[in-house]
């Protein structure tokens, strides 16, 4: 009982400022923890209010976008999209708020950052509600996949080029085979010493035609480089 009275006395003896500090300390600690986590996360993190206005971004978002946090605050989520994508970006945000975004999963979106560069992001959204069930904020996380998409496109182009080269190589075998056959026929006539000038001229014309075909195929092969 004496210990309880002592504790009660100590509590009553503390000043209002001290009691307020005791109550706010855990909250401040939690805020500091959140800020630290946001600062070290490599993914882009963007927080908006219920209507899509940006209220907070992390350092990764600043680094990727080229904008400082103060420049982004108050802008709408879809303002960062290229003009032709803004309607789709707004539609995506409304899906997040409605809770239907889980049906969509990660979405690939385009953002237009400082200097006009357009980057591709793989984004996800999550809605946080307060104790009354009202939307407190919307958290969007995104990973910059621009380089990945460029690499995938390069691989695709290489595959297309390789397939084309294989097809052209197969096509080239046809005129080369024909040239060899006609040349053999000409040589056969010349070796016999008796030949038909018309047939010889015809064979030479066909050789010239096939040489032209082979040349066109080789030109296409050179253009693949």
């Amino acid at each position: 009982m004496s210990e309880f009275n002592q504790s009660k006395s100590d509590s009553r003896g503390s000043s209002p400022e001290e009691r307020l500090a005791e109550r706010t300390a855990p909250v401040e600690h939690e805020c500091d923890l959140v800020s630290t986590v946001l600062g070290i996360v490599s993914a882009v993190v963007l927080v908006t209010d219920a209507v899509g206005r940006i209220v907070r971004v992390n350092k990764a978002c600043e680094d990727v976008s080229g904008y400082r946090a103060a420049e982004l605050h108050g802008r709408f989520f879809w303002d960062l999209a290229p003009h032709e994508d803004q309607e789709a970006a707004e539609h995506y945000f409304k899906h997040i708020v409605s809770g239907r975004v889980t049906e969509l999963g990660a979405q690939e979106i385009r953002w237009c950052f400082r200097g006009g560069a357009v980057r591709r992001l793989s984004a996800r959204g999550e809605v946080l509600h307060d104790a009354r069930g009202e939307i407190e904020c919307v958290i969007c996380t995104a990973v910059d996949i621009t380089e990945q998409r460029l690499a995938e496109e390069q691989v695709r182009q290489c595959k297309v080029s390789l397939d084309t080269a294989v097809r052209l190589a197969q096509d080239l075998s046809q005129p080369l085979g024909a040239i060899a056959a006609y040349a053999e026929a000409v040589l056969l006539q010349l070796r016999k010493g008796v030949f038909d000038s018309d047939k010889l001229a015809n064979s030479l014309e066909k050789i010239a035609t096939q040489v032209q075909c082979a040349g066109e195929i080789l030109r296409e092969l050179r253009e693949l480089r």
Side-chain angles (χ1 to χ4, degrees):
M1 178 64 75
S2 60
E3 291 178 357
F4 173 77
N5 289 335
Q6 179 65 37
S7 175
K8 187 175 180 181
S9 175
D10 291 344
S11 176
R12 287 178 177 175
S14 60
S15 66
E17 291 79 6
E18 291 173 335
R19 290 197 295 273
L20 178 61
E22 290 173 359
R23 289 196 295 269
T24 58
V27 176
E28 292 175 350
H29 174 72
E30 184 175 345
C31 290
D32 290 341
L33 180 61
V34 171
S35 296
T36 301
V37 171
L38 288 178
I40 63 176
V41 170
S42 59
V44 170
V45 180
L46 182 148
V47 183
T48 76
D49 60 17
V51 297
R53 279 188 296 264
I54 299 171
V55 297
R56 188 169 187 176
V57 299
N58 69 339
K59 187 177 184 301
C61 184
E62 291 183 305
D63 293 341
V64 171
S65 69
Y67 291 105
R68 299 299 92 194
E71 297 176 283
L72 294 173
H73 288 173
R75 298 179 65 178
F76 285 97
F77 170 85
W78 48 88
D79 286 345
L80 290 174
H83 180 73
E84 62 273 19
D85 291 359
Q86 288 184 1
E87 185 176 349
E90 183 177 0
H91 185 67
Y92 170 66
F93 180 83
K94 289 179 179 177
H95 267 73
I96 298 175
V97 173
S98 68
R100 288 177 291 170
V101 74
T102 53
E103 303 170 7
L104 303 175
Q107 293 292 293
E108 186 171 321
I109 60 177
R110 298 197 308 162
W111 277 2
C112 187
F113 294 138
R114 187 184 293 279
V118 176
R119 308 289 293 182
R120 292 183 177 274
L121 304 174
S122 177
R124 289 181 179 272
E126 185 71 28
V127 179
L128 295 185
H129 298 86
D130 59 22
R132 296 174 299 175
E134 300 292 333
I135 295 176
E136 187 170 0
C137 66
V138 178
I139 300 177
C140 296
T141 58
V143 178
D144 189 348
I145 58 172
T146 305
E147 304 305 326
Q148 175 187 332
R149 288 291 179 262
L150 288 174
E152 290 173 353
E153 177 60 21
Q154 289 176 348
V155 170
R156 190 189 69 80
Q157 290 289 348
C158 287
K159 185 178 184 305
V160 170
S161 297
L162 179 60
D163 291 343
T164 303
V166 170
R167 177 182 60 78
L168 291 174
Q170 292 172 342
D171 292 344
L172 184 60
S173 66
Q174 296 177 1
L176 291 178
I179 290 170
Y182 292 131
E184 184 67 25
V186 170
L187 286 173
L188 184 60
Q189 292 185 60
L190 292 175
R191 284 174 183 151
K192 288 181 177 180
V194 178
F195 53 84
D196 186 325
S197 61
D198 290 338
K199 288 184 178 180
L200 184 60
N202 184 56
S203 295
L204 291 174
E205 286 175 359
K206 288 182 178 180
I207 288 174
T209 300
Q210 294 302 318
V211 168
Q212 284 185 327
C213 289
E216 287 297 317
I217 294 172
L218 289 173
R219 181 184 59 78
E220 289 187 57
L221 279 170
R222 285 195 298 271
E223 289 177 353
L224 290 177
R225 292 183 300 176

